[in-house]
Amino acid sequence: MSDLDPQATGLNLSEEKMMNKSTSSVRNGSEPQTKSFDEAIGQKKGWRQMLPFIGPAFIAAVAYIDPGNYATNIQAGSQYGYLLLWVVVISNLMAIVIQTLSAKIGIATEHNLPEIIRNQWPKGVSVFYWIQGEIMIMATDLAEFIGAALGFHLVFGMPMIPAAILTAICALLILTFQVRGYRSLEMVIAMMVFIVVLAFSFEIFFSLPQFKPFVHGFVPQFQGTESVLLAAGILGATVMPHAIYMHSGLTCRRVIGRNASEKKKIFRFELVDILIAMIIAGVINAIMLAVAGSTFFGKEVIDDLSVAFHGFSTYLAPAAGILFGIGLLSAGLSSSSVGTLAGDIMMQGFIHKRIPVFIRRICSMLPPLILIISGANATKALVMSQVVLSFGIALAIIPLIIFTSKKTIMGPLVNRKGTTLTAWGIAMIVICLNVFLLYQTFFV
């Protein structure tokens, strides 16, 4: 068992047993929810010891390559070329810090962030958090679902309504892997991320970015007020609230450390997982922007994903457009599935309730289906979903930093002072930028 204070998270024994039972129920008993550190490592030597810990960060990283990122990166590249590549790098570094804290709180406490909020703060607060969390999930799923449907529409040329129905079917099929267990879902998500990586890797060969301007793009610089606004959009949309809640849920009972030494080792292994997954996500975003810059800069500004698809086909090659659509489709399906998982973790954590994941998935698909059937502009819906998500950023980041800075909760994994100061700095930047973007959206 943990060497932390048993009352650190405000849980008694009966609550903890019920919580563990509730969490494991999603797996239909196909495999155990938890393993001890010794069981996870077994007789593995060297780099093989890391394998049981690889996976959670890849699921969380999907939030950073969703269709919303596609829209932002394509616009930035088409409007300013490689100018804002450095913003992508900084935003990725910020995301690594926040996701590290989320994974760490799960490892240290054996509970996810929503559970800790419920047990540390008044009941009314956790109910409020659950309500706003469900709104965040709906906004997230709106963007992801529309992105996947748009991918089917662009790649296969089918109308948006049949594309949306096909997206719904695929989403439910992916959900069957979640029911079988998180490990199965992790494998599927990793494959989809790999498809996105392949798609944009081949895009590079079609677009052939210029080396010197590309490298110069990593030097911090702006070009007028609009470039500052777009940089704010890239940074402000970096951290997704559902990814913060979810990452702690994926690490909290995956491998249990019985003492301080084991918990530190688990965290070090998980840190490798985070670095690999988030660096891949950052590279994908940088490639998106670079490909858009080399293809569209000086020709036209792209603020619509459908226009981007046709632009790649026209300026590069038909295959380049298809690759873009395949990447969008894969990113949309994977991130949409992750949103369902996050919603399940949040509901169980905040209010100790759970509904069948298939019912949750069907309910979350209804708003984007209705939107698509109504004929609304898909890209504008993506943008508005990001605006809604802006409201949930502070509510996720602030408690994460507060709790990871408390030794009574974190034990040996408590934040160092430098880590806490860095996290608060990132939080203030992200929150201020999101407030600024909301102001720009509604009042300018």
Side-chain angles (χ1 to χ4, degrees):
M1 291 298 292
S2 170
D3 64 342
L4 299 178
D5 178 357
Q7 298 301 317
T9 55
L11 297 167
N12 58 42
L13 187 59
S14 61
E15 284 179 317
E16 188 161 355
K17 287 180 178 178
M18 184 165 59
M19 199 176 301
N20 288 337
K21 181 179 179 181
S22 174
T23 305
S24 62
S25 66
V26 72
R27 304 173 63 85
N28 281 352
S30 59
E31 56 182 311
Q33 170 68 14
T34 62
K35 289 183 179 180
S36 69
F37 182 76
D38 290 338
E39 288 174 330
I41 296 297
Q43 302 299 315
K44 299 180 181 70
K45 301 293 183 182
W47 63 270
R48 294 181 183 275
Q49 293 182 342
M50 291 189 300
L51 295 180
F53 305 90
I54 300 297
F58 279 85
I59 293 183
V62 167
Y64 299 92
I65 55 172
D66 67 1
N69 291 91
Y70 270 61
T72 306
N73 292 325
I74 297 298
Q75 182 179 351
S78 65
Q79 191 166 355
Y80 293 103
Y82 312 119
L83 183 75
L84 299 179
L85 276 171
W86 65 275
V87 180
V88 174
V89 175
I90 290 179
S91 65
N92 193 245
L93 292 174
M94 291 165 53
I96 287 174
V97 173
I98 296 300
Q99 294 305 139
T100 297
L101 295 185
S102 178
K104 184 166 70 169
I105 199 171
I107 294 167
T109 65
E110 299 171 21
H111 300 290
N112 59 52
L113 181 59
E115 290 169 346
I116 297 171
I117 289 174
R118 187 190 71 220
N119 289 284
Q120 288 288 318
W121 289 349
K123 182 179 179 180
V125 174
S126 62
V127 172
F128 165 76
Y129 260 87
W130 170 64
I131 294 172
Q132 66 85 32
E134 294 292 354
I135 295 173
M136 294 303 109
I137 292 300
M138 284 190 286
T140 300
D141 204 56
L142 180 68
E144 274 54 319
F145 189 93
I146 289 176
L150 194 58
F152 276 122
H153 166 68
L154 295 174
V155 173
F156 299 104
M158 60 177 61
M160 279 296 288
I161 293 178
I165 295 172
L166 183 57
T167 299
I169 294 171
C170 290
L172 291 174
L173 289 175
I174 293 173
L175 200 61
T176 61
F177 290 95
Q178 180 181 332
V179 173
R180 291 172 58 188
Y182 290 157
R183 198 63 176 169
S184 297
L185 181 64
E186 287 167 3
M187 294 297 294
V188 173
I189 296 297
M191 288 175 58
M192 290 185 171
V193 171
F194 184 64
I195 290 173
V196 178
V197 172
L198 282 180
F200 278 93
S201 296
F202 283 115
E203 290 277 24
I204 284 288
F205 290 104
F206 282 107
S207 61
L208 296 174
Q210 296 174 301
F211 181 74
K212 286 186 177 180
F214 176 81
V215 173
H216 192 59
F218 293 100
V219 178
Q221 56 190 310
F222 292 107
Q223 192 178 77
T225 306
E226 286 193 23
S227 67
V228 178
L229 295 176
L230 197 49
I234 295 173
L235 285 170
T238 296
V239 181
M240 293 287 99
H242 71 285
I244 297 175
Y245 298 121
M246 178 181 60
H247 204 161
S248 65
L250 294 173
T251 60
C252 66
R253 287 180 282 272
R254 183 187 183 91
V255 179
I256 302 297
R258 295 168 297 181
N259 51 54
S261 176
E262 288 187 355
K263 286 182 180 292
K264 289 179 179 179
K265 289 178 181 178
I266 293 170
F267 174 63
R268 284 197 292 269
F269 285 131
E270 182 57 32
L271 186 58
V272 174
D273 181 39
I274 293 169
L275 291 174
I276 294 173
M278 295 306 297
I279 287 174
I280 290 174
V283 169
I284 291 172
N285 281 303
I287 291 176
M288 279 187 209
L289 192 149
V291 169
S294 60
T295 305
F296 301 118
F297 181 57
K299 299 172 183 175
E300 60 178 314
V301 176
I302 306 295
D303 58 2
D304 187 291
L305 293 177
S306 297
V307 176
F309 170 83
H310 295 296
F312 284 126
S313 299
T314 300
Y315 293 119
L316 298 179
I322 295 297
L323 286 170
F324 173 78
I326 290 172
L328 179 62
L329 171 60
S330 183
L333 285 175
S334 58
S335 52
S336 182
S337 303
V338 166
T340 303
L341 173 60
D344 191 54
I345 290 173
M346 290 163 65
M347 185 177 189
Q348 176 271 321
F350 286 132
I351 62 172
H352 220 161
K353 304 289 184 183
R354 172 171 276 126
I355 59 176
V357 287
F358 282 99
I359 293 178
R360 167 176 286 281
R361 191 70 191 94
I362 291 170
C363 291
S364 67
M365 289 190 298
L366 289 178
L369 275 172
I370 293 171
L371 194 71
I372 291 172
I373 292 172
S374 70
N377 183 283
T379 300
K380 287 184 179 179
L382 289 177
V383 173
M384 288 309 299
S385 71
Q386 302 304 304
V387 171
V388 174
L389 288 170
S390 297
F391 288 99
I393 296 293
L395 292 173
I397 294 181
I398 290 175
L400 176 68
I401 300 174
I402 290 174
F403 295 142
T404 54
S405 302
K406 290 186 176 182
K407 189 172 181 61
T408 53
I409 292 177
M410 296 295 293
L413 293 182
V414 65
N415 289 345
R416 296 178 180 178
K417 288 185 178 179
T419 303
T420 299
L421 289 174
T422 300
W424 278 120
I426 291 172
M428 291 303 102
I429 291 172
V430 173
I431 292 169
C432 289
L433 286 174
N434 276 276
V435 171
F436 174 69
L437 291 173
L438 289 172
Y439 172 77
Q440 287 288 319
T441 301
F442 293 109
F443 300 105
V444 176

